[in-house]
PDB file of all heavy atoms in Angstrom:
ATOM      1  N   SER A 218      10.979   1.055   4.330  1.00 98.00           N
ATOM      2  CA  SER A 218      11.638   0.197   3.346  1.00 98.00           C
ATOM      3  C   SER A 218      13.147   0.375   3.373  1.00 98.00           C
ATOM      4  O   SER A 218      13.656   1.439   3.731  1.00 98.00           O
ATOM      5  CB  SER A 218      11.170   0.560   1.932  1.00 98.00           C
ATOM      6  OG  SER A 218       9.830   0.193   1.751  1.00 98.00           O
ATOM      7  N   SER A 219      13.817  -0.663   2.931  1.00 96.00           N
ATOM      8  CA  SER A 219      15.248  -0.543   2.670  1.00 96.00           C
ATOM      9  C   SER A 219      15.426   0.078   1.282  1.00 96.00           C
ATOM     10  O   SER A 219      14.487   0.096   0.480  1.00 96.00           O
ATOM     11  CB  SER A 219      15.906  -1.920   2.697  1.00 96.00           C
ATOM     12  OG  SER A 219      15.404  -2.697   1.624  1.00 96.00           O
ATOM     13  N   PHE A 220      16.614   0.568   1.011  1.00 95.00           N
ATOM     14  CA  PHE A 220      16.913   1.078  -0.337  1.00 95.00           C
ATOM     15  C   PHE A 220      16.584   0.006  -1.370  1.00 95.00           C
ATOM     16  O   PHE A 220      15.956   0.276  -2.388  1.00 95.00           O
ATOM     17  CB  PHE A 220      18.413   1.409  -0.442  1.00 95.00           C
ATOM     18  CG  PHE A 220      18.754   2.827  -0.062  1.00 95.00           C
ATOM     19  CD1 PHE A 220      18.394   3.343   1.168  1.00 95.00           C
ATOM     20  CD2 PHE A 220      19.459   3.636  -0.945  1.00 95.00           C
ATOM     21  CE1 PHE A 220      18.720   4.647   1.515  1.00 95.00           C
ATOM     22  CE2 PHE A 220      19.790   4.933  -0.615  1.00 95.00           C
ATOM     23  CZ  PHE A 220      19.432   5.451   0.615  1.00 95.00           C
ATOM     24  N   ALA A 221      17.007  -1.219  -1.082  1.00 94.00           N
ATOM     25  CA  ALA A 221      16.839  -2.303  -2.059  1.00 94.00           C
ATOM     26  C   ALA A 221      15.360  -2.579  -2.318  1.00 94.00           C
ATOM     27  O   ALA A 221      14.943  -2.745  -3.474  1.00 94.00           O
ATOM     28  CB  ALA A 221      17.536  -3.563  -1.552  1.00 94.00           C
ATOM     29  N   ASP A 222      14.536  -2.599  -1.245  1.00 96.00           N
ATOM     30  CA  ASP A 222      13.103  -2.866  -1.434  1.00 96.00           C
ATOM     31  C   ASP A 222      12.418  -1.721  -2.173  1.00 96.00           C
ATOM     32  O   ASP A 222      11.478  -1.937  -2.938  1.00 96.00           O
ATOM     33  CB  ASP A 222      12.420  -3.124  -0.088  1.00 96.00           C
ATOM     34  CG  ASP A 222      12.715  -4.534   0.429  1.00 96.00           C
ATOM     35  OD1 ASP A 222      13.180  -5.369  -0.365  1.00 96.00           O
ATOM     36  OD2 ASP A 222      12.477  -4.779   1.627  1.00 96.00           O
ATOM     37  N   ALA A 223      12.868  -0.499  -1.919  1.00 97.00           N
ATOM     38  CA  ALA A 223      12.286   0.645  -2.638  1.00 97.00           C
ATOM     39  C   ALA A 223      12.567   0.513  -4.133  1.00 97.00           C
ATOM     40  O   ALA A 223      11.682   0.744  -4.966  1.00 97.00           O
ATOM     41  CB  ALA A 223      12.860   1.952  -2.097  1.00 97.00           C
ATOM     42  N   VAL A 224      13.782   0.123  -4.475  1.00 95.00           N
ATOM     43  CA  VAL A 224      14.130  -0.027  -5.898  1.00 95.00           C
ATOM     44  C   VAL A 224      13.321  -1.168  -6.518  1.00 95.00           C
ATOM     45  O   VAL A 224      12.815  -1.039  -7.636  1.00 95.00           O
ATOM     46  CB  VAL A 224      15.648  -0.243  -6.070  1.00 95.00           C
ATOM     47  CG1 VAL A 224      15.980  -0.638  -7.503  1.00 95.00           C
ATOM     48  CG2 VAL A 224      16.396   1.020  -5.682  1.00 95.00           C
ATOM     49  N   LYS A 225      13.151  -2.251  -5.763  1.00 95.00           N
ATOM     50  CA  LYS A 225      12.336  -3.371  -6.277  1.00 95.00           C
ATOM     51  C   LYS A 225      10.905  -2.894  -6.540  1.00 95.00           C
ATOM     52  O   LYS A 225      10.278  -3.286  -7.521  1.00 95.00           O
ATOM     53  CB  LYS A 225      12.309  -4.524  -5.273  1.00 95.00           C
ATOM     54  CG  LYS A 225      13.588  -5.329  -5.236  1.00 95.00           C
ATOM     55  CD  LYS A 225      13.488  -6.404  -4.163  1.00 95.00           C
ATOM     56  CE  LYS A 225      14.837  -7.011  -3.855  1.00 95.00           C
ATOM     57  NZ  LYS A 225      14.830  -7.750  -2.574  1.00 95.00           N
ATOM     58  N   PHE A 226      10.376  -2.062  -5.635  1.00 97.00           N
ATOM     59  CA  PHE A 226       9.013  -1.548  -5.800  1.00 97.00           C
ATOM     60  C   PHE A 226       8.918  -0.693  -7.072  1.00 97.00           C
ATOM     61  O   PHE A 226       7.971  -0.811  -7.849  1.00 97.00           O
ATOM     62  CB  PHE A 226       8.614  -0.727  -4.563  1.00 97.00           C
ATOM     63  CG  PHE A 226       7.203  -0.199  -4.603  1.00 97.00           C
ATOM     64  CD1 PHE A 226       6.128  -1.041  -4.334  1.00 97.00           C
ATOM     65  CD2 PHE A 226       6.947   1.125  -4.902  1.00 97.00           C
ATOM     66  CE1 PHE A 226       4.819  -0.566  -4.365  1.00 97.00           C
ATOM     67  CE2 PHE A 226       5.643   1.613  -4.938  1.00 97.00           C
ATOM     68  CZ  PHE A 226       4.579   0.763  -4.667  1.00 97.00           C
ATOM     69  N   ALA A 227       9.917   0.141  -7.284  1.00 96.00           N
ATOM     70  CA  ALA A 227       9.927   1.010  -8.481  1.00 96.00           C
ATOM     71  C   ALA A 227      10.028   0.171  -9.749  1.00 96.00           C
ATOM     72  O   ALA A 227       9.401   0.485 -10.759  1.00 96.00           O
ATOM     73  CB  ALA A 227      11.079   1.996  -8.396  1.00 96.00           C
ATOM     74  N   GLU A 228      10.799  -0.899  -9.685  1.00 95.00           N
ATOM     75  CA  GLU A 228      10.938  -1.763 -10.865  1.00 95.00           C
ATOM     76  C   GLU A 228       9.625  -2.495 -11.148  1.00 95.00           C
ATOM     77  O   GLU A 228       9.188  -2.593 -12.290  1.00 95.00           O
ATOM     78  CB  GLU A 228      12.086  -2.755 -10.662  1.00 95.00           C
ATOM     79  CG  GLU A 228      13.441  -2.047 -10.706  1.00 95.00           C
ATOM     80  CD  GLU A 228      14.639  -2.963 -10.429  1.00 95.00           C
ATOM     81  OE1 GLU A 228      14.435  -4.084  -9.910  1.00 95.00           O
ATOM     82  OE2 GLU A 228      15.772  -2.550 -10.722  1.00 95.00           O
ATOM     83  N   LEU A 229       8.987  -2.977 -10.063  1.00 96.00           N
ATOM     84  CA  LEU A 229       7.709  -3.689 -10.233  1.00 96.00           C
ATOM     85  C   LEU A 229       6.644  -2.774 -10.826  1.00 96.00           C
ATOM     86  O   LEU A 229       5.871  -3.174 -11.696  1.00 96.00           O
ATOM     87  CB  LEU A 229       7.235  -4.219  -8.870  1.00 96.00           C
ATOM     88  CG  LEU A 229       5.876  -4.911  -8.860  1.00 96.00           C
ATOM     89  CD1 LEU A 229       5.971  -6.299  -9.480  1.00 96.00           C
ATOM     90  CD2 LEU A 229       5.321  -5.026  -7.438  1.00 96.00           C
ATOM     91  N   THR A 230       6.600  -1.534 -10.340  1.00 97.00           N
ATOM     92  CA  THR A 230       5.539  -0.616 -10.764  1.00 97.00           C
ATOM     93  C   THR A 230       5.896   0.113 -12.062  1.00 97.00           C
ATOM     94  O   THR A 230       5.084   0.873 -12.582  1.00 97.00           O
ATOM     95  CB  THR A 230       5.237   0.420  -9.659  1.00 97.00           C
ATOM     96  OG1 THR A 230       6.472   1.042  -9.270  1.00 97.00           O
ATOM     97  CG2 THR A 230       4.634  -0.245  -8.437  1.00 97.00           C
ATOM     98  N   LYS A 231       7.120  -0.098 -12.532  1.00 96.00           N
ATOM     99  CA  LYS A 231       7.565   0.482 -13.812  1.00 96.00           C
ATOM    100  C   LYS A 231       7.428   1.999 -13.852  1.00 96.00           C
ATOM    101  O   LYS A 231       6.957   2.586 -14.842  1.00 96.00           O
ATOM    102  CB  LYS A 231       6.806  -0.155 -14.983  1.00 96.00           C
ATOM    103  CG  LYS A 231       7.067  -1.664 -15.111  1.00 96.00           C
ATOM    104  CD  LYS A 231       6.535  -2.209 -16.424  1.00 96.00           C
ATOM    105  CE  LYS A 231       7.037  -3.595 -16.745  1.00 96.00           C
ATOM    106  NZ  LYS A 231       7.011  -4.573 -15.666  1.00 96.00           N
ATOM    107  N   VAL A 232       7.822   2.631 -12.768  1.00 97.00           N
ATOM    108  CA  VAL A 232       7.797   4.097 -12.768  1.00 97.00           C
ATOM    109  C   VAL A 232       8.974   4.605 -13.603  1.00 97.00           C
ATOM    110  O   VAL A 232       9.968   3.903 -13.796  1.00 97.00           O
ATOM    111  CB  VAL A 232       7.889   4.668 -11.328  1.00 97.00           C
ATOM    112  CG1 VAL A 232       6.706   4.193 -10.510  1.00 97.00           C
ATOM    113  CG2 VAL A 232       9.192   4.281 -10.650  1.00 97.00           C
TER     114      VAL A 232
END
Side-chain angles (χ1 to χ4, degrees):
Chain A
S218 291
S219 65
F220 270 55
D222 283 345
V224 170
K225 284 177 194 163
F226 182 77
E228 289 177 344
L229 176 75
T230 52
K231 297 191 167 45
V232 299

